[in-house]
Amino acid sequence: MIPRSADWKNALATAVRDPAELIALLDLPRDLLTPARRAATQFPLRVPRGYLARMRRGDPDDPLLRQVLPLDAEGRPAPGFLPDPVGDADAAVQPGVLQKYAGRVLLVATGACAVHCRYCFRRHFPYDESEPARGRWDEALEGVAGDPTIHEVILSGGDPLALDDGRLGRLVAAVECIPHVERLRIHSRLPVVLPERVDDGLLEWLGSGRLRKVMVIHANHPRELDATVADAAGRLARAGVVLLNQTVLLRGVNDDPEALCELSERLFAIGVLPYYLHLLDRVAGAAHFEVTADRTAMLLEAMRCNLPGYLVPRVVRERAGAGYKLPFEPHAVHD
């Protein structure tokens, strides 16, 4: 039997990268190919085959497909849509280290991802300049150790779980040695798009040590949560990991009340608490995903009417320079 660790690395390595293959595998209209190739020259296509298998064949409007299919719309300029909409550059305190909020510091562990979501707020992020070399983590962690106000270290990317367990384990072990750090938070889409990643090696270091472990996964639609994702979530929960989900509100993907309510119900059924419903970060290339404020207000009201309060995610927007996520106020003007 092939070890699970080899399974996830093979699945990552064999992800679909060619728009022609994606269109052929899903029996999609051929007129999607030329624009997909054009858009993929700016932000490459990447989608694991297991995630692709959850999509409906022959349906260009499938909500999972829309998240990964390159479109000509990505090349159309839109006012207010910027390469760095959330102020990552201004928040960088050194290469690969961002600090936006009190008590927390974020490490950009890698620029690699298992899937290239077309709305990604870091699709223009300069990973080559910002990702620390191996030796630079010592400097970053020295900065954390010298600031007793930091109680939480966040691993982000890219996707930190795209790294192997050896590198991640060494990094986390170094964080464990900083007495005033109490929590480790990991933001990852891999348990959803590549659930094979939740293997024994990952669970071994996640389930050990003194730090409280929190994993924020990223699911946008209930059809993403199949039996393999449920199994991965169950394994993480049994290892003692607190599981939260954040969703991005996306036009044509999940901007209807039935999808959002079903997503919250399904998340809770597999042991994940709905946490944030993010308004779209206004990154250049993603304007076609934006949902209007009026429709957002309607969706929030529908969730409040149909779900218990603990299953209604907080609807928020990130704004560059703000000290916290800004709550969506239905009657306020959001520029």
Side-chain angles (χ1 to χ4, degrees), residues 200-227:
D200 293 341
L202 175 66
L203 296 171
E204 183 177 353
W205 65 262
L206 272 177
S208 63
R210 65 171 186 84
L211 294 176
R212 192 76 165 107
K213 309 295 196 315
V214 179
M215 187 173 292
V216 183
I217 67 169
H218 177 184
N220 293 322
H221 193 275
R223 279 196 19 241
E224 293 181 322
L225 304 177
D226 67 0

mmCIF file of all heavy atoms in Angstrom, residues 200-227:
data_model
loop_
_atom_site.group_PDB
_atom_site.id
_atom_site.type_symbol
_atom_site.label_atom_id
_atom_site.label_comp_id
_atom_site.label_asym_id
_atom_site.label_seq_id
_atom_site.Cartn_x
_atom_site.Cartn_y
_atom_site.Cartn_z
ATOM 1 N N ASP A 200 -1.078 10.800 8.492
ATOM 2 C CA ASP A 200 -0.548 10.533 9.833
ATOM 3 C C ASP A 200 0.604 11.463 10.184
ATOM 4 O O ASP A 200 0.750 11.872 11.341
ATOM 5 C CB ASP A 200 -0.084 9.072 9.925
ATOM 6 C CG ASP A 200 -1.240 8.083 9.829
ATOM 7 O OD1 ASP A 200 -2.398 8.517 10.058
ATOM 8 O OD2 ASP A 200 -0.999 6.903 9.532
ATOM 9 N N GLY A 201 1.440 11.795 9.204
ATOM 10 C CA GLY A 201 2.551 12.693 9.481
ATOM 11 C C GLY A 201 2.092 14.069 9.915
ATOM 12 O O GLY A 201 2.643 14.652 10.866
ATOM 13 N N LEU A 202 1.082 14.599 9.254
ATOM 14 C CA LEU A 202 0.530 15.897 9.638
ATOM 15 C C LEU A 202 -0.083 15.834 11.029
ATOM 16 O O LEU A 202 0.159 16.701 11.888
ATOM 17 C CB LEU A 202 -0.516 16.333 8.621
ATOM 18 C CG LEU A 202 -1.279 17.627 8.939
ATOM 19 C CD1 LEU A 202 -0.352 18.828 8.904
ATOM 20 C CD2 LEU A 202 -2.440 17.817 7.972
ATOM 21 N N LEU A 203 -0.864 14.805 11.278
ATOM 22 C CA LEU A 203 -1.560 14.697 12.556
ATOM 23 C C LEU A 203 -0.590 14.490 13.714
ATOM 24 O O LEU A 203 -0.867 14.902 14.847
ATOM 25 C CB LEU A 203 -2.573 13.553 12.499
ATOM 26 C CG LEU A 203 -3.708 13.748 11.492
ATOM 27 C CD1 LEU A 203 -4.516 12.480 11.349
ATOM 28 C CD2 LEU A 203 -4.605 14.910 11.904
ATOM 29 N N GLU A 204 0.554 13.883 13.428
ATOM 30 C CA GLU A 204 1.524 13.626 14.496
ATOM 31 C C GLU A 204 2.015 14.920 15.121
ATOM 32 O O GLU A 204 2.030 15.066 16.352
ATOM 33 C CB GLU A 204 2.693 12.817 13.945
ATOM 34 C CG GLU A 204 3.724 12.451 15.011
ATOM 35 C CD GLU A 204 4.843 11.586 14.464
ATOM 36 O OE1 GLU A 204 4.760 11.159 13.290
ATOM 37 O OE2 GLU A 204 5.807 11.356 15.212
ATOM 38 N N TRP A 205 2.429 15.902 14.280
ATOM 39 C CA TRP A 205 2.932 17.130 14.888
ATOM 40 C C TRP A 205 1.809 18.087 15.275
ATOM 41 O O TRP A 205 1.950 18.862 16.215
ATOM 42 C CB TRP A 205 3.973 17.806 13.994
ATOM 43 C CG TRP A 205 3.515 18.322 12.665
ATOM 44 C CD1 TRP A 205 3.638 17.701 11.461
ATOM 45 C CD2 TRP A 205 2.885 19.573 12.395
ATOM 46 N NE1 TRP A 205 3.116 18.479 10.457
ATOM 47 C CE2 TRP A 205 2.657 19.642 11.000
ATOM 48 C CE3 TRP A 205 2.489 20.651 13.189
ATOM 49 C CZ2 TRP A 205 2.041 20.739 10.380
ATOM 50 C CZ3 TRP A 205 1.880 21.745 12.582
ATOM 51 C CH2 TRP A 205 1.664 21.778 11.199
ATOM 52 N N LEU A 206 0.670 18.013 14.577
ATOM 53 C CA LEU A 206 -0.463 18.843 14.984
ATOM 54 C C LEU A 206 -0.990 18.433 16.355
ATOM 55 O O LEU A 206 -1.437 19.277 17.141
ATOM 56 C CB LEU A 206 -1.595 18.734 13.963
ATOM 57 C CG LEU A 206 -1.591 19.690 12.780
ATOM 58 C CD1 LEU A 206 -2.754 19.366 11.857
ATOM 59 C CD2 LEU A 206 -1.652 21.138 13.236
ATOM 60 N N GLY A 207 -0.959 17.149 16.634
ATOM 61 C CA GLY A 207 -1.539 16.644 17.884
ATOM 62 C C GLY A 207 -0.585 16.657 19.060
ATOM 63 O O GLY A 207 -0.957 16.205 20.150
ATOM 64 N N SER A 208 0.614 17.168 18.883
ATOM 65 C CA SER A 208 1.590 17.182 19.974
ATOM 66 C C SER A 208 1.972 18.611 20.320
ATOM 67 O O SER A 208 1.597 19.560 19.623
ATOM 68 C CB SER A 208 2.841 16.389 19.567
ATOM 69 O OG SER A 208 3.464 17.006 18.457
ATOM 70 N N GLY A 209 2.715 18.771 21.391
ATOM 71 C CA GLY A 209 3.192 20.094 21.784
ATOM 72 C C GLY A 209 2.198 20.831 22.659
ATOM 73 O O GLY A 209 1.056 20.417 22.846
ATOM 74 N N ARG A 210 2.660 21.972 23.182
ATOM 75 C CA ARG A 210 1.844 22.715 24.145
ATOM 76 C C ARG A 210 0.912 23.741 23.499
ATOM 77 O O ARG A 210 -0.054 24.205 24.119
ATOM 78 C CB ARG A 210 2.752 23.450 25.139
ATOM 79 C CG ARG A 210 3.598 24.522 24.489
ATOM 80 C CD ARG A 210 4.347 25.401 25.485
ATOM 81 N NE ARG A 210 5.025 26.481 24.772
ATOM 82 C CZ ARG A 210 4.447 27.619 24.414
ATOM 83 N NH1 ARG A 210 3.180 27.834 24.713
ATOM 84 N NH2 ARG A 210 5.119 28.549 23.757
ATOM 85 N N LEU A 211 1.186 24.137 22.249
ATOM 86 C CA LEU A 211 0.387 25.180 21.616
ATOM 87 C C LEU A 211 -1.017 24.682 21.293
ATOM 88 O O LEU A 211 -1.206 23.550 20.874
ATOM 89 C CB LEU A 211 1.052 25.655 20.323
ATOM 90 C CG LEU A 211 2.391 26.381 20.445
ATOM 91 C CD1 LEU A 211 2.940 26.676 19.053
ATOM 92 C CD2 LEU A 211 2.255 27.653 21.253
ATOM 93 N N ARG A 212 -1.983 25.565 21.500
ATOM 94 C CA ARG A 212 -3.356 25.279 21.060
ATOM 95 C C ARG A 212 -3.382 25.463 19.559
ATOM 96 O O ARG A 212 -2.977 26.507 19.031
ATOM 97 C CB ARG A 212 -4.323 26.250 21.739
ATOM 98 C CG ARG A 212 -5.789 25.854 21.574
ATOM 99 C CD ARG A 212 -6.141 24.715 22.489
ATOM 100 N NE ARG A 212 -7.575 24.537 22.615
ATOM 101 C CZ ARG A 212 -8.257 23.546 22.063
ATOM 102 N NH1 ARG A 212 -7.641 22.653 21.321
ATOM 103 N NH2 ARG A 212 -9.561 23.446 22.243
ATOM 104 N N LYS A 213 -3.868 24.459 18.827
ATOM 105 C CA LYS A 213 -3.862 24.491 17.374
ATOM 106 C C LYS A 213 -5.261 24.847 16.850
ATOM 107 O O LYS A 213 -6.265 24.246 17.248
ATOM 108 C CB LYS A 213 -3.443 23.131 16.795
ATOM 109 C CG LYS A 213 -2.157 22.526 17.356
ATOM 110 C CD LYS A 213 -0.933 23.322 17.053
ATOM 111 C CE LYS A 213 0.355 22.536 17.266
ATOM 112 N NZ LYS A 213 0.430 21.748 18.494
ATOM 113 N N VAL A 214 -5.283 25.818 15.949
ATOM 114 C CA VAL A 214 -6.513 26.231 15.277
ATOM 115 C C VAL A 214 -6.259 26.143 13.785
ATOM 116 O O VAL A 214 -5.231 26.613 13.297
ATOM 117 C CB VAL A 214 -6.904 27.676 15.645
ATOM 118 C CG1 VAL A 214 -8.181 28.092 14.912
ATOM 119 C CG2 VAL A 214 -7.068 27.826 17.152
ATOM 120 N N MET A 215 -7.177 25.512 13.046
ATOM 121 C CA MET A 215 -7.058 25.478 11.597
ATOM 122 C C MET A 215 -8.292 26.136 10.991
ATOM 123 O O MET A 215 -9.423 25.765 11.295
ATOM 124 C CB MET A 215 -6.910 24.058 11.057
ATOM 125 C CG MET A 215 -6.626 24.035 9.555
ATOM 126 S SD MET A 215 -6.236 22.386 8.900
ATOM 127 C CE MET A 215 -4.653 22.077 9.688
ATOM 128 N N VAL A 216 -8.050 27.141 10.166
ATOM 129 C CA VAL A 216 -9.118 27.808 9.435
ATOM 130 C C VAL A 216 -9.090 27.268 8.019
ATOM 131 O O VAL A 216 -8.159 27.541 7.254
ATOM 132 C CB VAL A 216 -8.939 29.336 9.437
ATOM 133 C CG1 VAL A 216 -10.116 30.007 8.718
ATOM 134 C CG2 VAL A 216 -8.819 29.863 10.868
ATOM 135 N N ILE A 217 -10.085 26.455 7.682
ATOM 136 C CA ILE A 217 -10.170 25.909 6.335
ATOM 137 C C ILE A 217 -10.981 26.866 5.474
ATOM 138 O O ILE A 217 -11.547 27.856 5.960
ATOM 139 C CB ILE A 217 -10.744 24.481 6.320
ATOM 140 C CG1 ILE A 217 -12.229 24.481 6.751
ATOM 141 C CG2 ILE A 217 -9.920 23.561 7.214
ATOM 142 C CD1 ILE A 217 -12.920 23.155 6.512
ATOM 143 N N HIS A 218 -11.064 26.580 4.189
ATOM 144 C CA HIS A 218 -11.682 27.517 3.258
ATOM 145 C C HIS A 218 -12.577 26.742 2.304
ATOM 146 O O HIS A 218 -12.102 26.160 1.332
ATOM 147 C CB HIS A 218 -10.573 28.267 2.520
ATOM 148 C CG HIS A 218 -11.071 29.225 1.476
ATOM 149 N ND1 HIS A 218 -10.228 29.920 0.655
ATOM 150 C CD2 HIS A 218 -12.313 29.586 1.102
ATOM 151 C CE1 HIS A 218 -10.925 30.668 -0.175
ATOM 152 N NE2 HIS A 218 -12.203 30.469 0.075
ATOM 153 N N ALA A 219 -13.864 26.721 2.627
ATOM 154 C CA ALA A 219 -14.876 26.113 1.751
ATOM 155 C C ALA A 219 -15.880 27.181 1.368
ATOM 156 O O ALA A 219 -16.330 27.963 2.217
ATOM 157 C CB ALA A 219 -15.576 24.949 2.455
ATOM 158 N N ASN A 220 -16.250 27.206 0.095
ATOM 159 C CA ASN A 220 -17.161 28.230 -0.412
ATOM 160 C C ASN A 220 -18.529 27.701 -0.821
ATOM 161 O O ASN A 220 -19.452 28.489 -0.990
ATOM 162 C CB ASN A 220 -16.540 28.913 -1.639
ATOM 163 C CG ASN A 220 -15.315 29.728 -1.291
ATOM 164 O OD1 ASN A 220 -15.255 30.377 -0.255
ATOM 165 N ND2 ASN A 220 -14.316 29.694 -2.164
ATOM 166 N N HIS A 221 -18.635 26.394 -0.991
ATOM 167 C CA HIS A 221 -19.891 25.831 -1.504
ATOM 168 C C HIS A 221 -20.091 24.457 -0.880
ATOM 169 O O HIS A 221 -19.124 23.713 -0.685
ATOM 170 C CB HIS A 221 -19.830 25.720 -3.037
ATOM 171 C CG HIS A 221 -21.156 25.464 -3.665
ATOM 172 N ND1 HIS A 221 -21.676 24.189 -3.789
ATOM 173 C CD2 HIS A 221 -22.082 26.308 -4.191
ATOM 174 C CE1 HIS A 221 -22.859 24.263 -4.373
ATOM 175 N NE2 HIS A 221 -23.129 25.532 -4.628
ATOM 176 N N PRO A 222 -21.362 24.095 -0.580
ATOM 177 C CA PRO A 222 -21.585 22.802 0.084
ATOM 178 C C PRO A 222 -21.123 21.599 -0.730
ATOM 179 O O PRO A 222 -20.740 20.573 -0.152
ATOM 180 C CB PRO A 222 -23.104 22.771 0.315
ATOM 181 C CG PRO A 222 -23.678 23.827 -0.568
ATOM 182 C CD PRO A 222 -22.619 24.866 -0.701
ATOM 183 N N ARG A 223 -21.093 21.705 -2.059
ATOM 184 C CA ARG A 223 -20.664 20.570 -2.858
ATOM 185 C C ARG A 223 -19.166 20.308 -2.746
ATOM 186 O O ARG A 223 -18.686 19.266 -3.200
ATOM 187 C CB ARG A 223 -21.067 20.768 -4.321
ATOM 188 C CG ARG A 223 -22.538 20.389 -4.552
ATOM 189 C CD ARG A 223 -22.921 20.182 -5.991
ATOM 190 N NE ARG A 223 -21.843 19.939 -6.886
ATOM 191 C CZ ARG A 223 -21.533 20.710 -7.925
ATOM 192 N NH1 ARG A 223 -22.239 21.812 -8.166
ATOM 193 N NH2 ARG A 223 -20.540 20.397 -8.716
ATOM 194 N N GLU A 224 -18.425 21.220 -2.163
ATOM 195 C CA GLU A 224 -17.006 20.958 -1.918
ATOM 196 C C GLU A 224 -16.810 19.947 -0.795
ATOM 197 O O GLU A 224 -15.751 19.325 -0.692
ATOM 198 C CB GLU A 224 -16.289 22.264 -1.545
ATOM 199 C CG GLU A 224 -16.230 23.264 -2.672
ATOM 200 C CD GLU A 224 -15.497 24.543 -2.288
ATOM 201 O OE1 GLU A 224 -15.660 24.992 -1.142
ATOM 202 O OE2 GLU A 224 -14.779 25.078 -3.136
ATOM 203 N N LEU A 225 -17.813 19.787 0.056
ATOM 204 C CA LEU A 225 -17.650 19.006 1.288
ATOM 205 C C LEU A 225 -18.145 17.575 1.084
ATOM 206 O O LEU A 225 -19.195 17.181 1.582
ATOM 207 C CB LEU A 225 -18.404 19.695 2.433
ATOM 208 C CG LEU A 225 -17.997 21.154 2.680
ATOM 209 C CD1 LEU A 225 -18.846 21.768 3.780
ATOM 210 C CD2 LEU A 225 -16.517 21.254 3.037
ATOM 211 N N ASP A 226 -17.361 16.784 0.384
ATOM 212 C CA ASP A 226 -17.739 15.393 0.170
ATOM 213 C C ASP A 226 -17.228 14.513 1.309
ATOM 214 O O ASP A 226 -16.712 15.007 2.323
ATOM 215 C CB ASP A 226 -17.250 14.902 -1.196
ATOM 216 C CG ASP A 226 -15.732 14.806 -1.298
ATOM 217 O OD1 ASP A 226 -15.024 15.117 -0.311
ATOM 218 O OD2 ASP A 226 -15.237 14.414 -2.379
ATOM 219 N N ALA A 227 -17.352 13.204 1.153
ATOM 220 C CA ALA A 227 -16.990 12.269 2.227
ATOM 221 C C ALA A 227 -15.503 12.329 2.549
ATOM 222 O O ALA A 227 -15.109 12.142 3.708
ATOM 223 C CB ALA A 227 -17.398 10.847 1.841
#
